[in-house]
Amino acid sequence: MKLITLLTFVFGPACLYNLNAQIKIEATPEKWNAVNGEATFDNGIIHVVNTSQKTALIWFKNSNFEIGSIELDIKGKDVTGQSFVGIAFHGVNNDHYDGVYFRPFNFRNSERQEHSVQYISSPEYHWDVLREKYPGKYENDIQPAPDPNEWFHAKIVVDYPHIIVYVNGAEEPSLKVEQISKNKSGKWGLWVDSEDGWFKNVTLTATN
């Protein structure tokens, strides 16, 4: 029998509950490590600002995620080529990790919808390498297409080597791929490869 542990990051006062091993933590800078960016918390929302020319990562401290799911609400911008927001997981360090991210500006672009959600395995397999070597395999459209100007809900299921992405409660996955890296566990956090991004209601369900 699998033991399921729910880690819910609702970003309120820190407290521990025995029911379903649900842990709630306070969203302050002491709870995460920011790399190439800054993160602030206000009214339940984490705003990540990229302060470099590299990918901004907000790693949650003392996190070691193996298999399970990550759910959260995400908001980017409907500005072509200027909004890339998602999560990183199975992180070994700031360069080696797997990730799933979204391009909101492509959600309802009839000519670019197939590039709405993307899997990557850093540092060797970023989007450009994957698109060239495996066109259409590691990215896809989202149906029904979310409003690119509004919050959308994402559920990323990680069950090595399988990665399945659901958006806005859809029964059918928007993306289903096999993990490229051999990493089966590691740290996890928020991922922004543009000017900024917004996140809330972050929930981790770890299955051991």
Side-chain angles (χ1 to χ4, degrees):
M1 179 180 294
K2 292 184 176 180
L3 175 64
I4 299 179
T5 302
L6 297 178
L7 300 177
T8 303
F9 295 82
V10 299
F11 309 108
C15 49
L16 174 65
Y17 296 88
N18 292 325
L19 182 62
N20 292 326
Q22 189 175 72
I23 301 173
K24 299 182 180 182
I25 65 171
E26 184 180 359
T28 64
E30 292 78 21
K31 301 300 181 181
W32 58 59
N33 290 315
V35 179
N36 301 324
E38 299 175 349
T40 59
F41 175 77
D42 183 50
N43 197 30
I45 298 172
I46 302 175
H47 182 205
V48 179
V49 176
N50 194 321
T51 58
S52 74
Q53 298 299 314
K54 299 180 180 180
T55 302
L57 292 161
I58 307 299
W59 296 115
F60 291 109
K61 291 183 178 180
N62 302 317
S63 63
N64 184 47
F65 175 58
E66 297 181 19
I67 61 175
S69 65
I70 299 170
E71 292 191 59
L72 70 170
D73 295 322
I74 306 174
K75 188 175 184 294
K77 296 179 179 179
D78 188 13
V79 181
T80 302
Q82 297 186 37
S83 188
F84 307 93
V85 287
I87 65 164
F89 58 91
H90 290 178
V92 177
N93 52 43
N94 297 331
D95 297 312
H96 294 78
Y97 57 83
D98 288 82
V100 170
Y101 72 89
F102 301 86
R103 305 180 180 101
F105 53 87
N106 283 337
F107 287 172
R108 295 185 177 179
N109 183 335
S110 60
E111 297 180 354
R112 305 286 297 175
Q113 279 185 309
E114 69 273 19
H115 306 308
S116 293
V117 55
Q118 173 85 53
Y119 161 82
I120 58 170
S121 185
S122 177
E124 295 183 47
Y125 292 95
H126 284 287
W127 70 271
D128 50 348
V129 175
L130 293 174
R131 190 175 296 177
E132 179 182 356
K133 291 187 175 183
Y134 312 100
K137 183 175 181 179
Y138 292 100
E139 58 183 333
N140 201 13
D141 64 353
I142 300 173
Q143 295 299 331
D147 186 333
N149 295 300
E150 299 295 336
W151 290 94
F152 63 94
H153 185 77
K155 179 179 181 180
I156 297 92
V157 179
V158 179
D159 188 5
Y160 185 88
H162 307 292
I163 298 171
I164 308 172
V165 182
Y166 298 91
V167 177
N168 284 342
E171 294 184 2
E172 294 296 320
S174 298
L175 187 68
K176 187 175 183 180
V177 299
E178 290 197 358
Q179 197 169 333
I180 295 176
S181 79
K182 301 302 181 182
N183 300 331
K184 298 182 180 180
S185 66
K187 56 186 179 179
W188 70 283
L190 309 177
W191 183 102
V192 175
D193 197 30
S194 51
E195 184 177 84
D196 58 359
W198 294 263
F199 306 85
K200 64 180 180 179
N201 300 325
V202 185
T203 302
L204 172 70
T205 304
T207 305
N208 299 319

